[in-house]
Amino acid sequence: MSVATADGLTLAGRDRRFGLLLTAPGLLSLLIVITFPLFFTLFTSVHDYTLLTPNYDTFVGLENYEEALDEEYLPGSLWVTTKFVLASIVIEFIIGFAVALSLHATRRFGSIYYLILLAPLLINPVVVGLLWRMLLHSELGIINYAIGLVGISPVSWLGDADIAFWTVVLTDIWHQVSFMAILLVAGLAALPREPYEAARMDGASTISCFIHITLPLMRPVIAVAILLRMIFAIKTFDIVFIMTKGGPGTATDLISYYIYRAAFFGLDIGRASAMAAGLLVIIVALTAYLYRYMNSLK
Amino acid sequence: MRLFLSVLAALALGIGAAQAQTIRILMETVPDTRYIQELLPQFEEETGIDVEIEAISYIDMHSKLVPQLIAPEGSYDLIVVDFYWVGEFTKAGWLMPLDDLVERDGVDVDVYVPKLMDLVGRVEGVLYMLPFYNYSMALIYRQDLIDDADEQAAFQDAYGMELRVPQTWDEYWKQVEFFTRDTDGDGNRDFYGTVIQGQRGDCISMQWANYLYSQGGLYHDENWNPLLDSPEAIRAMEYYREAVENYSPAGSEAYCFDEAFNVMAQGRAYSFVTFNILYAGFEDPESSEVAGKVGITPNPGGGLNGGWGWAIPNSSPNKEAAWTFMKWAESAAVAKERAMLGGAPTQAGIFTDADVVAARPYYPILGEILAGTKDFPVFTYTTEFVEQVGLELNLAATGEKPVAEAMASAQERLHALLVKDGKIEE
């Protein structure tokens, strides 16, 4: 039953209007803050805007996009980024889920585990990069020393193209895995107990409980966790900037560092904006796909 | 009452401070910046101008400077300019010409080593900077090993020549091979003839330049025609690759100068081709296990010239005070004091000044090193060139690309950038 008020709106309608009024300033500033840089980037990407001639006098249409697509090392960088995103998400998900399950089952010292788990996440990524670069020094680093004690010969963590890629992936995992774990543990805590009790009554094993109850119920949370990590992973910059500069060769040349070089070393903000816009399209497409997938689960 | 008085005093001080001029300088966290900071109280006392030095690491400097330089009024009164940026900054018109000020105040700019004046002073006849310090590159080596009688005899046996401070590249390379060893007999080499700083980009670009000069190669001829696919350049890269494979720590293709420095400072290497300003660090027992055992000498065939200059950006809010500071920092007395602290001089007389030499006997050698250096190509796109050629060099150093192919790409890239800059025709 709805109660009409003096201005002809229902009580719920007035609530809605009041709510809109309250959120309008926030929404509006959010809109400006988000859309302005977006349109500015798109606007810059169709002009010949360089740091040497920082003006919008020359409209060049899609020339910046064409130039970017012609670059010899761009496809390689996209491929490295794809591998990096896939590898770090898959491994982080597996480790993160395992950690989440054990944390969920923990009865004592939970907060201590959380603290330890969260510590890497609280460190600035630049510091993470510097820290690992020191630990992984091929001659003087403590890691090669430690594995030397058990008779393993020293590893060229950052000097060998194949190893360096995985070194960067593992550093990123070390840094970010707890984010995945925390999201998943929150999801686990919100699961209803009844299905498990019922399954136990029917004599289901822990493993079949996991496969038939936990996984299906957790699917929306998993999708969100993967989506967020994917967006962050595509944008990874600091670790390669500090640890490898994209090298050796092009082994760790992630797209965000590639775009940074076009902007700040190449001085070509127009071309860098074109690449950034292209990257945005990719991220939005992936996000839209995952979002639809998530909705289909409900 | 006392409280009231102290509040009054604080207010008075606050007003005084507000009236005093303040200049802001963006600098890199390097020893020479530290020496300036140590001497700052002198300047502040003499002039009453407060100086705020913002010292940050090199990797952040360029991206922090550019927005301030583009702005009509930036936040820095005075800046320091790496030679990489000279072409770009002057082409963009960000730096203020200093000729009028120099003439007005009768500042003698002929005291500077001409090589540095050309690099971080004048551009096409206009004075934009005063050279601040030089980081020309040199060969740092273990003097104690050269002086060792057993090593001398062994070297004589092996190569039929005397073991001495290397004068030629061939001699140096024999020493590099000779000193690379497996000292504990576990089958892995653990003492290295040389240390490579091979990380992609800036690190490898700088060090490889010395290899190029050692072979008599150059980046371009006097008409800016690029020469990176010349036989000299290819030979230089082959030497570099050989060092990575045989004479330098595994993984050094990812080192920058700090990591390479530590290998040498821990007593794990015979030699290191690097910036002369690192030498003071090797001589300091706090940072080095080999203090008192290292020498420095010109890179055989010539090293890379490098340096920083003081400049007043056109966006500087307080140009006059900035100029006052620049004159003070570059005055004969302060320049000498900086050298006594370990700074890398730019004025010719300081390398051989009696007091400086008494405190730091190797300074005349630094003068010789600088005199024998060669220039990196300085043009509008130097920064991008360093990145692009640094990638090709690194691909060759790691063996991912054959040497000749990488040098052909480097040549192509330099050519394209020079065309873009209008230095040469398509």
Side-chain angles (χ1 to χ4, degrees):
Chain A
M1 186 183 78
S2 62
V3 182
T5 53
D7 52 7
L9 283 172
T10 61
L11 206 53
R14 285 181 72 181
D15 266 2
R16 235 190 336 267
R17 199 172 63 171
F18 186 59
L20 263 179
L21 209 68
L22 282 182
T23 49
L27 282 177
L28 200 69
S29 47
L30 200 64
L31 199 71
I32 293 170
V33 168
I34 290 174
T35 52
F36 178 74
L38 184 67
F39 282 106
F40 197 59
T41 305
L42 290 175
F43 186 70
T44 309
S45 75
V46 291
H47 287 86
D48 183 23
Y49 184 100
T50 68
L51 289 173
L52 298 170
T53 51
N55 60 58
Y56 292 94
D57 297 348
T58 325
F59 177 80
V60 293
L62 294 178
E63 215 171 272
N64 283 324
Y65 291 84
E66 284 163 19
E67 264 179 41
L69 286 175
D70 270 351
E71 281 175 32
E72 185 185 349
Y73 292 110
L74 183 70
S77 176
L78 285 170
W79 174 233
V80 168
T81 311
T82 311
K83 279 195 303 182
F84 174 82
V85 171
L86 284 177
S88 60
I89 289 182
V90 168
I91 301 174
E92 273 172 35
F93 175 67
I94 293 170
I95 300 178
F97 214 153
V99 172
L101 287 171
S102 30
L103 263 182
H104 185 59
T106 305
R107 295 282 165 264
R108 296 171 63 197
F109 307 122
S111 49
I112 293 175
Y113 295 136
Y114 273 108
L115 193 71
I116 296 172
L117 193 64
L118 278 176
L121 201 58
L122 300 177
I123 305 176
N124 180 310
V126 173
V127 179
V128 171
L130 288 171
L131 205 78
W132 280 99
R133 213 175 120 185
M134 257 157 72
L135 295 174
L136 294 167
H137 191 296
S138 64
E139 275 297 301
L140 310 167
I142 195 162
I143 293 184
N144 271 354
Y145 174 77
I147 65 173
L149 292 180
V150 291
I152 302 172
S153 48
V155 177
S156 173
W157 296 105
L158 295 166
D160 180 288
D162 297 324
I163 299 173
F165 173 77
W166 289 104
T167 304
V168 170
V169 169
L170 289 173
T171 307
D172 186 68
I173 290 170
W174 179 85
H175 187 212
Q176 308 267 3
V177 71
S178 45
F179 179 78
M180 190 78 101
I182 296 295
L183 279 182
L184 294 174
V185 105
L188 287 174
L191 292 186
R193 283 173 170 270
E194 293 80 4
Y196 290 95
E197 282 159 10
R200 285 273 176 235
M201 301 281 272
D202 295 342
S205 69
T206 312
I207 291 176
S208 62
C209 273
F210 175 73
I211 293 173
H212 297 293
I213 305 176
T214 311
L215 270 186
L217 285 177
M218 283 287 285
R219 266 159 77 177
V221 179
I222 292 170
V224 172
I226 287 180
L227 177 65
L228 285 176
R229 271 305 297 140
M230 183 198 75
I231 294 172
F232 292 156
I234 294 175
K235 296 192 298 183
T236 304
F237 173 81
D238 312 66
I239 289 180
V240 293
F241 183 58
I242 297 294
M243 289 178 76
T244 65
K245 291 279 191 298
T250 52
T252 61
D253 201 2
L254 296 184
I255 190 70
S256 51
Y257 180 53
Y258 191 98
I259 296 173
Y260 170 89
R261 288 203 308 275
F264 289 103
F265 296 144
L267 315 176
D268 198 339
I269 306 290
R271 188 160 46 90
S273 298
M275 289 192 263
L279 184 63
L280 183 73
V281 170
I282 296 174
I283 295 181
V284 168
L286 280 172
T287 310
Y289 175 77
L290 272 170
Y291 185 76
R292 277 183 55 186
Y293 174 73
M294 261 159 61
N295 275 347
S296 73
L297 297 177
K298 282 178 185 166
Chain B
M1 190 61 194
R2 265 172 70 189
L3 182 71
F4 174 72
L5 277 180
S6 44
V7 167
L8 205 66
L11 274 174
L13 274 176
I15 292 164
Q19 280 174 341
Q21 297 191 67
T22 302
I23 54 170
R24 296 191 64 203
I25 315 176
L26 185 74
M27 297 180 82
E28 191 196 354
T29 42
V30 287
D32 280 84
T33 300
R34 217 167 50 234
Y35 307 142
I36 288 284
Q37 283 167 324
E38 276 180 44
L39 300 171
L40 260 189
Q42 274 182 29
F43 173 76
E44 295 182 329
E45 208 169 294
E46 278 171 31
T47 59
I49 299 174
D50 285 335
V51 181
E52 273 177 33
I53 292 180
E54 188 182 337
I56 61 172
S57 72
Y58 183 78
I59 48 172
D60 295 323
M61 284 193 79
H62 188 267
S63 35
K64 191 146 189 172
L65 271 176
V66 170
Q68 300 301 330
L69 296 173
I70 294 178
E73 179 154 306
S75 47
Y76 301 115
D77 299 290
L78 185 65
I79 59 170
V80 287
V81 180
D82 186 11
F83 83 82
Y84 277 22
W85 308 329
V86 169
E88 173 195 342
F89 285 16
T90 52
K91 173 107 172 197
W94 293 333
L95 305 183
M96 184 179 106
L98 302 174
D99 297 282
D100 293 346
L101 289 171
V102 162
E103 200 179 327
R104 185 192 76 189
D105 297 351
V107 174
D108 183 9
V109 293
D110 295 333
V111 295
Y112 292 101
V113 175
K115 267 185 179 300
L116 286 172
M117 209 54 189
D118 291 343
L119 189 70
V120 285
R122 283 197 189 90
V123 179
E124 283 161 9
V126 181
L127 184 75
Y128 288 103
M129 293 155 286
L130 293 184
F132 166 32
Y133 72 89
N134 91 78
Y135 61 88
S136 53
M137 298 185 80
L139 175 62
I140 293 175
Y141 63 94
R142 286 283 294 276
Q143 184 71 50
D144 62 322
L145 295 179
I146 287 190
D147 293 339
D148 186 294
D150 293 342
E151 300 289 2
Q152 284 178 352
F155 189 78
Q156 185 76 40
D157 278 352
Y159 297 96
M161 61 200 290
E162 185 196 348
L163 179 62
R164 53 169 191 173
V165 179
Q167 308 293 313
T168 66
W169 185 260
D170 184 55
E171 197 178 358
Y172 170 58
W173 211 248
K174 288 193 166 73
Q175 296 177 1
V176 165
E177 185 191 38
F178 175 69
F179 281 114
T180 303
R181 288 167 194 182
D182 170 14
T183 56
D184 59 6
D186 68 349
N188 293 322
R189 59 199 152 93
D190 49 26
F191 188 85
Y192 305 95
T194 190
V195 199
I196 288 297
Q197 54 175 64
Q199 190 183 60
R200 173 180 163 176
D202 171 53
C203 315
I204 193 170
S205 287
M206 294 292 96
Q207 193 182 43
W208 183 79
N210 299 280
Y211 279 66
L212 177 65
Y213 300 144
S214 78
Q215 300 309 305
L218 289 170
Y219 286 91
H220 55 79
D221 65 14
E222 62 267 34
N223 298 318
W224 285 98
N225 294 306
L227 298 170
L228 282 178
D229 58 356
S230 68
E232 292 84 7
I234 290 173
R235 209 163 55 230
M237 194 62 234
E238 279 163 356
Y239 271 115
Y240 201 85
R241 167 99 180 108
E242 198 186 333
V244 167
E245 275 189 297
N246 300 327
Y247 307 132
S248 176
S252 57
E253 53 270 61
Y255 288 176
C256 201
F257 66 84
D258 42 355
E259 281 127 339
F261 172 93
N262 285 330
V263 172
M264 176 92 184
Q266 292 296 318
R268 306 277 285 268
Y270 162 67
S271 70
F272 179 24
V273 175
T274 194
F275 306 108
N276 80 76
I277 51 173
L278 297 186
Y279 184 71
F282 286 117
E283 285 289 85
D284 180 356
E286 293 241 324
S287 56
S288 158
E289 299 277 316
V290 292
K293 296 179 180 171
V294 284
I296 185 165
T297 189
N299 183 54
L304 177 72
N305 189 11
W308 289 74
W310 299 104
I312 302 175
N314 278 321
S315 67
S316 162
N318 197 344
K319 298 187 175 68
E320 197 58 45
W323 171 243
T324 308
F325 179 85
M326 205 199 280
K327 273 193 300 185
W328 169 81
E330 286 303 318
S331 64
V334 174
K336 185 171 157 178
E337 274 185 78
R338 277 166 35 204
M340 306 273 286
L341 289 169
T346 52
Q347 302 182 10
I350 294 187
F351 290 101
T352 49
D353 180 279
D355 298 333
V356 173
V357 175
R360 298 186 177 269
Y362 59 92
Y363 268 46
I365 304 175
L366 297 186
E368 269 173 52
I369 289 166
L370 181 56
T373 55
K374 291 174 181 163
D375 287 349
F376 201 76
V378 174
F379 61 117
T380 310
Y381 301 106
T382 301
T383 330
E384 187 169 17
F385 170 64
V386 168
E387 281 305 312
Q388 292 193 355
V389 81
L391 169 58
E392 299 300 335
L393 296 176
N394 184 260
L395 284 168
T398 52
E400 279 185 63
K401 217 174 190 179
V403 168
E405 209 178 291
M407 294 321 293
S409 304
Q411 168 81 357
E412 242 173 68
R413 283 171 196 279
L414 176 57
H415 184 269
L417 288 173
L418 288 169
V419 168
K420 188 167 151 193
D421 195 22
K423 294 278 187 205
I424 52 172
E425 303 276 312
E426 186 83 43

